[in-house]
Amino acid sequence: MLSPNGAHVYVANQASNTVSVIDPVSNTVTATIPTNTGPSVIAASPDNALVHVTQSGDASLGVIDTATNTVVTNIPVGAGPIGVALTPDGTRAYVANFQDNSVSVVDTAASTVTATVPVGPGPVEVAVTPDGTRAYVASTADGSVRVIDTATNTVTSTTVVGDVPVIVAIIPDGTRAYVSTAGAQFVAVMDTATNTVITTIPVPTPRVVVISPDGAVAYVTNLDSDTVSVIGIAANAVLDTLATGDRPLGVAVTPDSARLYVTNSLANTVSAISLQTIPRAGPITGGTTVIIRGHNLSGATAVHFGSATATILANTPTSVTVSSPPGFGTVPVTVTTAGGTGSFGTFTYRSAPVVIGIAVTSSPFGGEGGAQGPTGGGGTATITGLNLSGATAVHFGPSLATIVSDTDTSLTVNIPAVPGPGPVTVTVVTPGGTSNDLTFIYVDPPTLTSASPNQGPTAGGNQVTIQGTNLATAQSVTFDGVPAYFSVVSDNTIAATAPPHPVAGPVNIAVTTVGGSASSGLYEYVESPG
């Protein structure tokens, strides 16, 4: 978390029960503050004098004096506190208590809990609107966001947003809330006037989401892909993807929106990322909306991408928003004002991606080399083509795949789950555009209904017709774990030869397909007469 004045970065270290203080100028740790057990989420008072940290291990809210970097008090709250947010005037702190499904309302002057608000199961984070009238709480267990009226401290609205909502962030004008859903793998956008979801933005394994102070973009950490997705608020679409360290979790942006700090939970590091030009790449045809950040930018008269002139769309003292001109390669970006011309990094022009083929490289049930998989997802697939490096998204129909690795000619992705069986289109999105379509077929698990005949000699050799559903992609058939020779007759029928079995008695027939496995006691071995 960044202090409101941008002078310090505060990082909660759960394993060591400390809070690290980072100087954003030198990017060095200047202090380490001991806390109670399990420091989790940090919020600073508007006057920068105090920092509040939830301490999940002993159900308390620690208060740190920023002048001395010491804990001055610990306030008892509900069980398992995680998220904390302060009202704009700093007079109250709202604490989400994960274990007892409540939000504690803390009077920050008196350091006491003045109200406890029951909310949904598993609340993780809370966000207060810029006008301080409402608090939004994400409940992981029931996929909802509850809205608390801060005047009465009662829940006035409940909105289902998606599987495992984690973090809520509200844009500066208070009109929209952005909710990361770890289970559904998208960011849900809520209209705060109606408290309804107006759109969803696919991102891989999202965790923490923050809004830039200028209200232009949202930044979302993607835990499994070691990236941060950059979402344009105006377009409600991913503009860019930033590389981070291992397992990024927390994220904060400086008051001038020019730098991002990301905590890498597995690497035990913090990434400091410059945000001068977002996005940093786009198609050769131009037309990409690019935000250039810095200082003394008001009254910009020209923005150049190399020698080409961009169209200025908006201008403030700390940012210029432009539409990129057509171009090729990597070019310098410059901004000209009455005070002169300054450089703002580079912009790379990318050709549109082209996909040629897709093949499963690992699968929980077999079928490697093909373009089929179980509806529940799992395993990996490799997509081949051209201009694929730097992919920001891979879509399997309605689902978003997690990108494992990429080169210019291939992508390896984790195959996502989908709602039901059948073919879906696979597309790749890069800064250069969206690819053509490939087809991937999802298969439901098989079922077994009968075997005919249902008895046979222990010597084996019996020809058995197995009936069921979703059998067309059968990979193996076993009788009591012993592989059998088989052939697929149709999606409902398999012809198999019963293998020998050492003893008489009932056994399970098991069929494994690309979609899964099914087993049932449909067959019995019988001793030969003698």
Side-chain angles (χ1 to χ4, degrees):
M1 185 230 51
L2 270 154
S3 58
N5 61 4
H8 298 96
V9 180
Y10 294 89
V11 181
N13 307 306
Q14 279 195 329
S16 61
N17 300 325
T18 60
V19 168
S20 296
V21 184
I22 296 174
D23 179 350
V25 176
S26 62
N27 283 329
T28 58
V29 175
T30 58
T32 301
I33 307 168
T35 67
N36 286 359
T37 56
S40 300
V41 175
I42 300 173
S45 61
D47 62 3
N48 305 289
L50 299 174
V51 165
H52 298 76
V53 55
T54 54
Q55 298 165 144
S56 58
D58 69 346
S60 69
L61 181 68
V63 182
I64 297 171
D65 184 329
T66 59
T68 62
N69 283 329
T70 56
V71 175
V72 293
T73 188
N74 292 293
I75 306 166
V77 291
I82 299 180
V84 57
L86 270 65
T87 53
D89 61 7
T91 59
R92 282 170 292 170
Y94 284 77
V95 180
N97 305 309
F98 183 81
Q99 293 179 14
D100 65 6
N101 305 329
S102 71
V103 169
S104 296
V105 184
V106 177
D107 182 325
T108 56
S111 295
T112 57
V113 172
T114 59
T116 300
V117 185
V119 293
V124 171
E125 186 57 285
V126 57
V128 177
T129 55
D131 62 5
T133 61
R134 288 165 292 167
Y136 284 69
V137 186
S139 297
T140 56
D142 68 357
S144 72
V145 169
R146 282 167 173 78
V147 182
I148 298 172
D149 183 330
T150 58
T152 60
N153 285 325
T154 57
V155 173
T156 58
S157 174
T158 300
T159 303
V160 175
V161 294
D163 191 24
V164 194
V166 184
I167 304 296
V168 182
I170 300 172
I171 63 177
D173 67 7
T175 59
R176 276 179 278 169
Y178 286 71
V179 187
S180 61
T181 60
Q185 298 196 39
F186 57 65
V187 172
V189 183
M190 290 178 60
D191 181 331
T192 57
T194 60
N195 288 325
T196 56
V197 175
I198 56 176
T199 190
T200 58
I201 307 164
V203 291
T205 59
R207 289 302 185 268
V208 176
V209 55
V210 297
I211 310 296
S212 63
D214 61 12
V217 295
Y219 298 97
V220 186
T221 54
N222 302 313
L223 190 69
D224 292 342
S225 62
D226 299 340
T227 60
V228 168
S229 293
V230 184
I231 295 173
I233 297 298
N236 277 333
V238 175
L239 303 179
D240 202 356
T241 301
L242 309 175
T244 67
D246 203 357
R247 306 279 285 180
L249 188 58
V251 59
V253 60
T254 55
D256 61 2
S257 302
R259 188 180 297 180
L260 201 67
Y261 287 87
V262 182
T263 57
N264 305 306
S265 61
L266 195 57
N268 296 325
T269 60
V270 175
S271 298
I273 303 171
S274 173
L275 303 173
Q276 276 190 323
T277 304
I278 294 293
R280 301 157 298 168
I284 59 177
T285 54
T288 301
T289 299
V290 180
I291 303 169
I292 302 164
R293 291 194 174 93
H295 300 281
N296 306 316
L297 297 178
S298 59
T301 56
V303 176
H304 288 95
F305 284 51
S307 60
T309 302
T311 301
I312 297 175
L313 304 175
N315 191 192
T316 73
T318 58
S319 71
V320 183
T321 302
V322 301
S323 178
S324 65
F328 295 92
T330 299
V331 298
V333 177
T334 59
V335 178
T336 301
T337 70
T341 298
S343 297
F344 292 83
T346 61
F347 185 85
T348 301
Y349 287 97
R350 297 283 304 275
S351 297
V354 177
V355 290
I356 300 171
I358 182 171
V360 174
T361 48
S362 70
S363 171
F365 305 110
E368 288 82 356
Q372 295 179 313
T375 53
T380 60
T382 296
I383 300 168
T384 55
L386 300 171
N387 310 317
L388 302 180
S389 62
T392 56
V394 177
H395 297 275
F396 280 60
S399 301
L400 188 71
T402 301
I403 299 171
V404 178
S405 63
D406 69 301
T407 69
D408 204 48
T409 57
S410 71
L411 289 172
T412 299
V413 300
N414 291 327
I415 302 170
V418 293
V424 299
T425 56
V426 177
T427 56
V428 175
V429 181
T430 76
T434 300
S435 72
N436 54 302
D437 295 344
L438 295 172
T439 299
F440 188 87
I441 299 173
Y442 280 95
V443 180
D444 263 341
T447 63
L448 302 180
T449 56
S450 67
S452 178
N454 61 2
Q455 291 182 320
T458 55
N462 212 21
Q463 300 302 303
V464 181
T465 299
I466 302 167
Q467 299 287 333
T469 61
N470 306 316
L471 303 178
T473 63
Q475 307 292 297
S476 69
V477 176
T478 62
F479 284 60
D480 200 25
V482 179
Y485 292 106
F486 72 95
S487 62
V488 175
V489 178
S490 70
D491 195 44
N492 298 317
T493 306
I494 290 175
T497 302
H501 197 267
V503 295
V507 299
N508 282 333
I509 295 177
V511 175
T512 298
T513 71
V514 167
S517 296
S519 177
S520 184
L522 299 175
Y523 193 75
E524 182 178 7
Y525 281 97
V526 179
E527 291 282 6
S528 299

